Amino acid sequence: MSTALNEPLLQTIEPDDSNPISQPSQGKTNTNGAAVRAPVVLTPTNRTNATPEDMEAGLVGIFKQSSHPVALLFLYLFRTLAIVIYIIGGFLTDDYVLSTVAVVVLLSADFWTCRNVSGRTLVGLRFWNFVDEDGSSRWIFEARDPSRPANPIDSKMFWTAIYLFPVLWILLFIISILKLNLSFVPLVALALIFNITNAVGFTYADRDAKARWANSVVSDNWNVGFGGLGGQIMGSVVKQGVGRFFR
C-alpha cells in the first residue's frame, strides 16, 4: 500500500491506446469474465421520464405535454378561425355582413377567453381595468404564486399566441390598405385593438408579478440581514430600485 502511494503519479497513468476502440458486440465478456455492455449514445431525445407518446411530433405531442390542453386549444382555435374566415370569407359567401359578424364574434370570444381563462390557467396571470369615481382609469394585475411555476409548454405556446397574432393582423391591415379594401379596415382595426390589448395587458401583468416577487425577496433578505428599523429602511430603498428594473 505504501509503495503504491510513493510511486510517481505520472507512472501510474497508462497512456492512451492508439488503436481505435472496437465496438463490442452483444453478449461479449471482458478479461475478468464480466459482460461488456454496449455504449449508450446520448441524444437530445433520450429523456428518462419521457414516453413515446410524449415525444410524438406536431400538435399531438404539444397537447399531450400541456397541463391544460382544453384552454390551449381554445386559445388558438378562436384566433385561427377569425383569421381564416377573414381571408376566405369572400370565397365562401358573398354576404359581407355575415362574414364580418362571424369574425367579430370570434374576436370577442377570443378576447374574453384569453383574458379570463387562458391567461389564468396557462401562465397564472389576469388583468382588468375599471374607472374610479373621479373618472381615472385603473389597471389591476393578478398573478399566481411564484412557488407554482407554469408548465413550460403552456407558457411558451401562450406567449407565442399573444405576440404572433397581432403581427399577423398588422400584416393583414397593410395588405387591405395596399389593395384598397377600405371596407375591411375597420374589421382589422378591431382585431388589432383586441389582440394588442391582451398583449399589453399580459405583458404588464407579467412584469408586475416579477416586480412584486423581487420586492418581496429583497425585502425579506434585507430585513433578515439588518433587522429592526434599519432593515425596513434598507429593504424599502432596495425594493424600489429593484421594482423599477421590471417596469
Side-chain angles (χ1 to χ4, degrees), residues 45 51-65:
T45 56
T51 61
E53 291 79 7
D54 292 337
M55 301 175 67
E56 294 181 6
L59 295 177
V60 177
I62 292 176
F63 282 104
K64 285 191 175 182
Q65 297 179 64

Side-chain angles (χ1 to χ4, degrees), residues 178-191:
L178 293 179
K179 296 179 64 176
L180 299 178
N181 292 333
L182 301 181
S183 59
F184 291 98
V185 171
L187 182 60
V188 181
L190 179 64

Side-chain angles (χ1 to χ4, degrees), residues 80-126:
T80 304
L81 286 178
I83 291 182
V84 169
I85 293 179
Y86 171 81
I87 294 176
I88 68 174
F91 300 98
L92 298 178
T93 178
D94 295 332
D95 193 345
Y96 169 79
V97 176
L98 180 60
S99 60
T100 301
V101 170
V103 173
V104 171
V105 170
L106 289 171
L107 290 174
S108 303
D110 169 69
F111 180 76
W112 186 90
T113 303
C114 180
R115 192 181 67 169
N116 297 285
V117 179
S118 300
R120 179 173 55 85
T121 57
L122 297 179
V123 293
L125 298 174
R126 188 170 61 174

Side-chain angles (χ1 to χ4, degrees), residues 4-150:
L5 293 175
N6 295 331
E7 189 175 1
L9 181 62
L10 293 179
Q11 296 181 7
T12 63
I13 302 177
E14 297 181 359
D16 295 335
D17 189 2
S18 58
N19 297 328
I21 300 176
S22 58
Q23 186 76 12
S25 59
Q26 190 73 17
K28 282 190 176 182
T29 59
N30 56 14
T31 56
N32 297 329
V36 178
R37 186 175 59 181
V40 178
V41 180
L42 298 179
T43 63
T45 56
N46 287 121
R47 298 185 299 170
T48 56
N49 59 346
T51 61
E53 291 79 7
D54 292 337
M55 301 175 67
E56 294 181 6
L59 295 177
V60 177
I62 292 176
F63 282 104
K64 285 191 175 182
Q65 297 179 64
S66 172
S67 300
H68 305 279
V70 176
L72 183 60
L73 172 65
F74 282 99
L75 172 66
Y76 278 85
L77 180 64
F78 291 138
R79 296 179 170 226
T80 304
L81 286 178
I83 291 182
V84 169
I85 293 179
Y86 171 81
I87 294 176
I88 68 174
F91 300 98
L92 298 178
T93 178
D94 295 332
D95 193 345
Y96 169 79
V97 176
L98 180 60
S99 60
T100 301
V101 170
V103 173
V104 171
V105 170
L106 289 171
L107 290 174
S108 303
D110 169 69
F111 180 76
W112 186 90
T113 303
C114 180
R115 192 181 67 169
N116 297 285
V117 179
S118 300
R120 179 173 55 85
T121 57
L122 297 179
V123 293
L125 298 174
R126 188 170 61 174
F127 72 94
W128 70 87
N129 175 271
F130 70 94
V131 179
D132 285 338
E133 296 179 356
D134 57 356
S136 60
S137 179
R138 294 179 58 87
W139 290 85
I140 304 298
F141 304 111
E142 289 185 348
R144 182 189 300 164
D145 187 354
S147 61
R148 298 168 53 200

Side-chain angles (χ1 to χ4, degrees), residues 31 102 145 171 195 246:
T31 56
D145 187 354
L171 294 177
N195 282 266
F246 292 98

